[in-house]
Amino acid sequence: MEISIRPATRADACAISRILINLGSWDWLCFQNAPEIEEKIKTELENTSPDRSRYVATDSQGGILGYTAVSYVPYLFFKGREGYITELFVAQEARGHGVGSVLLEKVKQEARERGCSRLLLHNLRSRESYQRNFYAKQGWEERGNSTAIFIYEFG
């Protein structure tokens, strides 16, 4: 499978929303909310910042196979910034064909160019990618019990 990576644009919102809806992982992401989801994605893709990057993986016909987003965060106690991969999703039919690997390589390349000390991402243990050790196979190391992750949810 031929895979190309390019910056995500507003025109990609529909394809990205389909990938997210098809995951079926979040209750509010359902076909009944498709226009709302697509609009939210368009708004996010329009929100340009030098500290954020969003990419899509495409096939030879330009079809969207996957999506990733990364934010670059400064830390005083690290030698360089940290790149935080907030999203990496691959369409169900494209999994196992190297799409996620190519997206990760693009982010790693960009992070090096930006002088980052490291990259971070979260992966739910219940996700297919965790179950099949996708990130470990890519050279990522699970932190184990070295940190606690806390969240504070608003209503």
Side-chain angles (χ1 to χ4, degrees), residues 1 3 18-26 64-67 88-101 126-130 132 134-135:
M1 175 181 287
I3 304 166
R18 276 196 304 271
I19 291 171
L20 293 176
I21 289 168
N22 288 335
L23 286 171
S25 296
W26 298 277
I64 306 295
L65 304 171
Y67 164 78
L88 192 152
F89 300 111
V90 175
Q92 182 69 38
E93 65 276 7
R95 292 184 187 158
H97 295 283
V99 175
S101 300
S126 60
R127 301 262 316 154
E128 176 192 350
S129 53
Y130 184 87
R132 59 184 175 87
F134 172 74
Y135 293 103

Side-chain angles (χ1 to χ4, degrees), residues 54-130:
R54 295 174 194 87
Y55 296 101
V56 290
T58 62
D59 62 21
S60 58
Q61 287 81 39
I64 306 295
L65 304 171
Y67 164 78
T68 191
V70 60
S71 294
Y72 295 96
V73 182
Y75 283 102
L76 297 177
F77 50 88
F78 287 152
K79 186 176 180 179
R81 304 172 104 195
E82 177 176 78
Y84 175 41
I85 298 174
T86 57
E87 299 170 306
L88 192 152
F89 300 111
V90 175
Q92 182 69 38
E93 65 276 7
R95 292 184 187 158
H97 295 283
V99 175
S101 300
V102 174
L103 285 166
L104 281 178
E105 282 305 313
K106 176 62 178 174
V107 171
K108 288 184 341 189
Q109 173 192 352
E110 182 177 80
R112 280 188 204 99
E113 291 169 2
R114 289 173 176 256
C116 288
S117 296
R118 68 181 194 179
L119 287 168
L120 168 79
L121 61 81
H122 291 102
N123 188 223
L124 297 173
R125 289 185 174 104
S126 60
R127 301 262 316 154
E128 176 192 350
S129 53
Y130 184 87

Side-chain angles (χ1 to χ4, degrees), residues 17 20-33 37:
S17 70
L20 293 176
I21 289 168
N22 288 335
L23 286 171
S25 296
W26 298 277
D27 290 340
W28 84 276
L29 290 173
C30 63
F31 285 107
Q32 294 145 328
N33 292 335
I37 296 162

Side-chain angles (χ1 to χ4, degrees), residues 44-54 70-72 114:
E44 282 299 313
L45 293 175
E46 289 172 344
N47 181 8
T48 60
S49 164
D51 294 327
R52 299 176 78 182
S53 296
R54 295 174 194 87
V70 60
S71 294
Y72 295 96
R114 289 173 176 256

